[in-house]
Amino acid sequence: MSYRVIALDLDGTLLDPQKRILPESLAALNEARQSGIKILIVTGRHHVAIHPFYQALQLDTPAICCNGTYSYDYPAKRILASDPLSIQEAMQTLSYLQGTEIEHLMYVDNAILYEFQHTVARTLAWSDSLPEHQRPNIRQVSHFQDALQEVSAIWKFATSSSNLGKLREISEQIAENVGLECEWSWFDQVDITKKGNNKGMRLQQWVESQGMSMKEVIAFGDNYNDLSMLETAGLGVAMGNGVDAVKERADIVTRDNTHPGIAEVIRKYVL
């Protein structure tokens, strides 16, 4: 099979635990790009939080963000396709989250919003380590409900908790009663988006718009929110550090994100 597209999750996949791209991955992806392969970032992140990686890879393709909620054209700085939450859905979601121990952020327009400093401590520390022009727009608000009246698009809620039982309980209630998509993106994080949004759907939309098929795609991922693209791609590759259920459903499993497994797969199947 001749592969024409490489789709990459970021956290736990392309990025090592220090949020760096391995030099071997960078070299292999650069060779693939120069040979005409299209490379796409397909992430749970907001587009404002992927600047360093998009630029390091020297991409000109859209970024698929917030688990397929939207695709973003970086050169033109515009949304290509999207399906955000409604204000009503966001308000209902907040009614389940607020007053609980579950930390939550709200991804909107061109910003990540938070109410309490401790919920973004790690993200702010990472942001401060970047050059100023690459730092994401992370903004504190007094109340999410008030902020909802001032934004155009609500992409997702990122929820997390050390109490995994409670996180599962609340996310299942939101999925059932509000009718939203609740996907685990990390061992202690659930992302809440509009029903039907997922990485595979949005990736397929772009691939087919370019006159290609998902059979021509190699997709890399590590967690439940990657399954939709791993299972529809021509070759779905799970990381060695990935969730067991994801590894079982992928076509192949490569090494973990501290080793050059991505580069090895690209050199074997693409280059």
Side-chain angles (χ1 to χ4, degrees):
M1 181 67 199
S2 177
Y3 296 106
R4 300 168 65 188
V5 177
I6 298 172
L8 296 153
D9 170 53
L10 287 178
D11 297 286
T13 302
L14 181 63
L15 305 183
D16 72 7
Q18 286 72 47
K19 307 302 181 188
R20 301 171 302 195
I21 302 175
L22 298 180
E24 296 92 342
S25 299
L26 202 56
L29 288 164
N30 187 47
E31 287 181 45
R33 181 178 52 78
Q34 291 179 340
S35 70
I37 305 299
K38 295 296 184 182
I39 297 168
L40 275 80
I41 289 173
V42 186
T43 180
R45 290 185 180 222
H46 196 301
H47 70 267
V48 300
I50 65 174
H51 288 299
F53 319 117
Y54 189 89
Q55 291 164 2
L57 295 168
Q58 301 180 58
L59 301 182
D60 59 3
T61 49
I64 294 174
C65 303
C66 292
N67 297 331
T69 296
Y70 66 103
S71 52
Y72 183 76
D73 183 335
Y74 257 99
K77 296 183 178 179
R78 66 186 180 96
I79 304 296
L80 295 177
S82 69
D83 195 6
L85 294 163
S86 68
I87 290 181
Q88 182 181 9
E89 289 168 331
M91 292 290 281
Q92 287 179 284
T93 300
L94 287 170
S95 72
Y96 281 93
L97 295 173
Q98 294 194 314
T100 72
E101 61 193 272
I102 297 172
E103 297 179 353
H104 48 287
L105 309 176
M106 190 164 73
Y107 289 37
V108 303
D109 299 333
N110 293 302
I112 298 169
L113 306 184
Y114 67 97
E115 288 182 335
F116 306 107
Q117 188 88 12
H118 68 273
T119 62
V120 286
R122 285 183 299 178
T123 304
L124 288 173
W126 170 73
S127 175
D128 289 343
S129 72
L130 299 172
E132 192 168 345
H133 70 281
Q134 290 184 336
R135 292 176 185 172
N137 181 16
I138 306 171
R139 195 167 77 243
Q140 187 170 22
V141 296
S142 298
H143 301 286
F144 284 136
Q145 286 92 339
D146 295 339
L148 285 174
Q149 312 306 318
E150 301 172 0
V151 302
S152 298
I154 308 148
W155 304 129
K156 80 167 188 178
F157 288 92
T159 68
S160 62
S161 176
S162 58
N163 186 340
L164 301 185
K166 189 65 174 179
L167 182 59
R168 185 178 301 278
E169 176 191 342
I170 294 294
S171 61
E172 288 176 352
Q173 289 176 0
I174 292 171
E176 181 177 351
N177 300 331
V178 188
L180 300 181
E181 206 74 56
C182 296
E183 291 189 307
W184 289 83
S185 57
W186 205 247
F187 76 94
D188 62 350
Q189 180 170 312
V190 174
D191 292 342
I192 301 170
T193 66
K194 187 88 167 184
K195 188 71 174 177
N197 285 336
N198 60 64
K199 292 183 176 186
M201 174 276 294
R202 196 68 68 190
L203 176 61
Q204 182 173 349
Q205 181 184 69
W206 181 84
V207 167
E208 293 179 349
S209 77
Q210 303 301 301
M212 297 180 286
S213 79
M214 288 297 287
K215 292 181 180 180
E216 298 173 280
V217 177
I218 293 183
F220 293 85
D222 71 302
N223 222 306
Y224 292 103
N225 63 331
D226 298 312
L227 276 172
S228 60
M229 69 172 179
L230 296 186
E231 293 188 320
T232 53
L235 186 67
V237 185
M239 303 301 293
N241 54 283
V243 175
D244 286 343
V246 174
K247 290 190 283 188
E248 290 168 4
R249 292 163 67 176
D251 296 310
I252 62 173
V253 179
T254 191
R255 294 203 277 171
D256 68 38
N257 63 335
T258 66
H259 293 89
I262 289 176
E264 291 166 2
V265 171
I266 290 172
R267 295 197 182 282
K268 179 177 181 179
Y269 292 94
V270 180
L271 299 175

